[in-house]
Amino acid sequence: MIVKTNLQTGNRGLSFFSDDLNLDYTCIIDFYSLRFKSEFNFRDAKQYWGLEDFMNTQKTASTNAAALCCSWSILSYLLLRDFRQQDSTVNVLDLKAYYHCQYVGRNIKMASPKPEPISNGSHY
């Protein structure tokens, strides 16, 4: 257990616990700092990538859904890092909108020309 104690006031705080007695205090602090990064990634997976919308009841389907959403969350973090070099205010919703427009634009370009209407000579 790590407890931070103010030597002047005697106040204690910032307690970290581990059952591995071989870990030194810097390693325990590093593990705790990673915990919050994991929680933020999980929050993003729920908020932006639909993790809370999956209604899977089978173990494999739930695992796949969670892995997919967490992968999207990590990928978006990497893409945002590049986008933020040009504009620091870009967020996940901007990223989703950008790639959605790219997807739609490419599909429209790939679509065949609109067919001519068939007319049987009668007008309604």
Side-chain angles (χ1 to χ4, degrees):
M1 178 171 79
I2 300 173
V3 178
K4 180 179 177 182
T5 305
N6 186 326
L7 297 177
Q8 295 174 352
T9 63
N11 292 339
R12 293 182 177 185
L14 191 66
S15 299
F16 298 121
F17 301 91
S18 175
D19 59 355
D20 187 349
L21 301 178
N22 295 323
L23 292 176
D24 64 321
Y25 72 95
T26 58
C27 193
I28 294 171
I29 291 172
D30 288 343
F31 287 158
Y32 268 88
S33 68
L34 291 175
R35 174 180 166 238
F36 294 107
K37 289 179 183 178
S38 298
E39 287 185 16
F40 289 142
N41 284 340
F42 189 72
R43 180 207 60 198
D44 288 347
K46 285 180 16 180
Q47 183 175 357
Y48 297 117
W49 303 110
L51 181 60
E52 66 186 2
D53 297 331
F54 284 101
M55 300 298 170
N56 298 317
T57 57
Q58 297 174 344
K59 183 178 179 180
T60 302
S62 297
T63 302
N64 290 343
L68 184 62
C69 289
C70 289
S71 296
W72 286 340
S73 180
I74 292 168
L75 179 63
S76 70
Y77 173 77
L78 295 173
L79 292 171
L80 277 174
R81 187 177 58 187
D82 294 338
F83 274 82
R84 286 183 177 152
Q85 289 179 356
Q86 299 166 4
D87 182 0
S88 63
T89 63
V90 174
N91 61 30
V92 174
L93 294 177
D94 296 327
L95 185 73
K96 288 174 72 172
Y98 173 79
Y99 281 106
H100 182 76
C101 290
Q102 294 291 316
Y103 174 76
V104 169
R106 288 183 183 166
N107 281 334
I108 289 173
K109 287 180 184 177
M110 289 182 353
S112 61
K114 198 173 189 180
E116 293 295 321
I118 299 173
S119 176
N120 62 3
S122 63
H123 301 282
Y124 294 100

